[in-house]
Amino acid sequence: MAVLALGCDPVEDINDSLAENEAGIVDEFSYTLTEDDYKETLGLDYANFNTIDDARDLIPQVLEENFPFLGANSLSTVTYDLYQPVQTERSLIVYTVTTEDYDSYPDTEEFDNFDDEDQIYTFLDDKYGDVDNRTLISLTYKFYDGSAQTLNNGFLRVNGSWQFALGLTNAEYNEVGQGFANFNTEDEALRKLPIFLKDKFKYDDVAEGTIKSVMYKLYTTDEDDIDNDGSVEDRATYSYIANFILIGSEWEVYNNVVSQTLQFGNDGSTWIPDNTISYSLVAADYAFIASELGDTYPAQTSSMTQYGNMDRRSGNAAFWSDDMILEAFNLLLNDLDPSAEEGQKYAVTFDIYNGSNTTETFFLIKTDGVWVMQ
């Protein structure tokens, strides 16, 4: 199987490779969609897809346009951009939980604070359960977690549920260089909040691609008829939500686009979404096959162990037939991937000797619990 490492112009790179390959077949390669692919080839307004289904349906057109010479069993892992908007809202309701509020619940009346997140959501459901969709509650409350602290976090009503947005404490505003518990401009907030997140989660195991919603306060005189039940200061300090995504070790402002990958296989006439896993045998795999089939095929496994390949010379005493290899690969794949689902595909590449040292690839699919040739 030929695996290509692509440079600045992947289409040109593959064409150059094919100039040296009269067969004109590239079995496996990676490709990242370009702006021209989205806008010119597909005629889209933006350089991204709205849904994964759109990507599945449209990417084959790009592959057919760019790589018309590729044939059956070719595989392409395609990286594309997916539009996943996380809307931002200005706070419509600013509220500080009162002593009377805490006293209304048996679990919170004794100490006048929350000590469990479920208590917060119960309170929100009772007080604001009927607000309009995408209403943001900027909630200040006391929470006990080893010690009592005053928190201000955001809770966005989304389709009947509450979406949490992390807020900054007064001390955290001070730590990011603010004299008051707010930012002065949006640019200042978007510059400092990634630094704040990196420090806050530096000891946590946060997966790359994680998106965090952060509610921050901005001092502004632009009221825009926001319904607000606080003081004069409240009417000049509003809460906003910004979203950040972890890329590598850095938090970046989330621009509503995430990179995704899909694999496509060529069935001989078109490209279709494909779940094929490419796998090349290593020394341990040959050893495993020999241990499993040594008694059944002593000549074949002895030769394989000695030379690190399968003899494909028909008529030779060590010859591995297709059926023998299929038997061996059933044992191997069941050992390597015992929980593989029905319909899972593998492209298994292995070393052979047919008069010269080369490789061969078997394309297998799990059918009725057994690995069979595609």
Side-chain angles (χ1 to χ4, degrees):
M1 176 176 291
V3 180
L4 298 185
L6 304 182
C8 296
D9 188 339
V11 177
E12 182 178 344
D13 288 345
I14 292 179
N15 282 327
D16 290 344
S17 174
L18 289 174
E20 302 174 1
N21 181 2
E22 293 182 0
I25 297 296
V26 176
D27 283 330
E28 183 177 1
F29 65 100
S30 296
Y31 182 69
T32 299
L33 266 62
T34 67
E35 185 170 358
D36 284 347
D37 290 330
Y38 295 105
K39 296 184 176 181
E40 299 297 328
T41 302
L42 298 177
L44 302 179
D45 292 330
Y46 300 97
N48 54 62
F49 296 116
N50 289 321
T51 68
I52 294 177
D53 285 341
D54 286 345
R56 291 176 178 273
D57 292 341
L58 296 175
I59 287 176
Q61 296 181 36
V62 175
L63 295 174
E64 289 166 8
E65 174 73 18
N66 289 341
F67 313 111
F69 38 74
L70 299 184
N73 293 325
S74 294
L75 295 173
S76 179
T77 300
V78 179
T79 299
Y80 65 95
D81 286 336
L82 180 67
Y83 182 60
Q84 286 191 337
V86 178
Q87 293 180 325
T88 59
E89 277 80 9
R90 180 179 291 182
S91 60
L92 299 181
I93 299 175
V94 178
Y95 190 77
T96 299
V97 182
T98 66
T99 299
E100 289 76 13
D101 292 325
Y102 294 118
D103 289 346
S104 300
Y105 298 90
D107 294 338
T108 61
E109 63 176 341
E110 182 177 359
F111 299 106
D112 289 337
N113 60 244
F114 299 121
D115 59 16
D116 186 283
E117 291 182 357
D118 288 341
Q119 296 169 350
I120 302 172
Y121 292 109
T122 296
F123 169 76
L124 289 169
D125 283 337
D126 291 344
K127 190 171 183 66
Y128 297 115
D130 59 352
V131 296
D132 293 336
N133 193 45
R134 305 206 68 83
T135 296
L136 174 64
I137 312 296
S138 176
L139 189 70
T140 300
Y141 56 96
K142 295 178 181 178
F143 193 86
Y144 182 84
D145 184 12
S147 62
Q149 52 185 326
T150 299
L151 302 177
N152 174 239
N153 290 313
F155 298 87
L156 184 65
R157 191 68 168 174
V158 180
N159 299 325
S161 299
W162 296 103
Q163 177 180 305
F164 177 78
L166 176 67
L168 282 70
T169 65
N170 290 355
E172 287 170 334
Y173 277 106
N174 291 334
E175 290 171 4
V176 297
Q178 300 304 113
F180 298 94
N182 58 256
F183 294 105
N184 297 313
T185 66
E186 180 183 14
D187 287 344
E188 181 180 57
L190 298 183
R191 176 172 57 85
K192 291 185 174 182
L193 286 174
I195 303 171
F196 161 74
L197 288 172
K198 186 172 183 178
D199 183 67
K200 189 172 184 68
F201 295 106
K202 62 185 175 183
Y203 298 119
D204 293 359
D205 185 16
V206 182
E208 183 171 6
T210 295
I211 297 173
K212 292 283 187 184
S213 295
V214 180
M215 186 186 73
Y216 66 94
K217 294 179 180 178
L218 186 64
Y219 186 79
T220 178
T221 56
D222 181 14
E223 299 184 26
D224 286 346
D225 298 324
I226 293 174
D227 181 16
N228 196 305
D229 59 2
S231 64
V232 173
E233 180 180 352
D234 290 328
R235 290 197 298 272
T237 304
Y238 301 107
S239 296
Y240 296 82
I241 289 180
N243 300 285
F244 301 87
I245 185 169
L246 185 63
I247 304 295
S249 61
E250 303 296 327
W251 290 94
E252 299 179 5
V253 177
Y254 179 55
N255 64 359
N256 291 331
V257 174
V258 294
S259 291
Q260 301 280 316
T261 60
L262 280 173
Q263 183 167 269
F264 293 83
N266 191 307
D267 66 2
S269 60
T270 189
W271 292 90
I272 58 175
D274 192 276
N275 67 352
T276 300
I277 297 173
S278 297
Y279 184 76
S280 296
L281 267 63
V282 297
D285 298 324
Y286 295 111
F288 172 82
I289 293 172
S291 68
E292 294 292 313
L293 295 177
D295 293 339
T296 307
Y297 307 119
Q300 287 81 359
T301 54
S302 177
S303 173
M304 181 181 65
T305 302
Q306 181 177 357
Y307 297 109
N309 58 37
M310 292 182 170
D311 194 318
R312 292 287 274 167
R313 294 173 297 171
S314 180
N316 188 278
F319 172 65
W320 285 87
S321 68
D322 287 356
D323 288 343
M324 292 177 183
I325 295 173
L326 185 59
E327 181 181 354
F329 286 176
N330 264 272
L331 295 169
L332 179 63
L333 291 179
N334 286 337
D335 182 68
L336 293 174
D337 194 0
S339 59
E341 296 182 356
E342 186 79 0
Q344 178 63 59
K345 298 178 182 178
Y346 267 85
V348 182
T349 300
F350 55 103
D351 294 311
I352 68 167
Y353 183 75
N354 60 3
S356 61
N357 292 310
T358 184
T359 62
E360 192 173 338
T361 299
F362 271 28
F363 296 90
L364 308 175
I365 183 171
K366 194 170 186 179
T367 305
D368 295 329
V370 178
W371 297 98
V372 299
M373 299 287 285
Q374 293 186 50

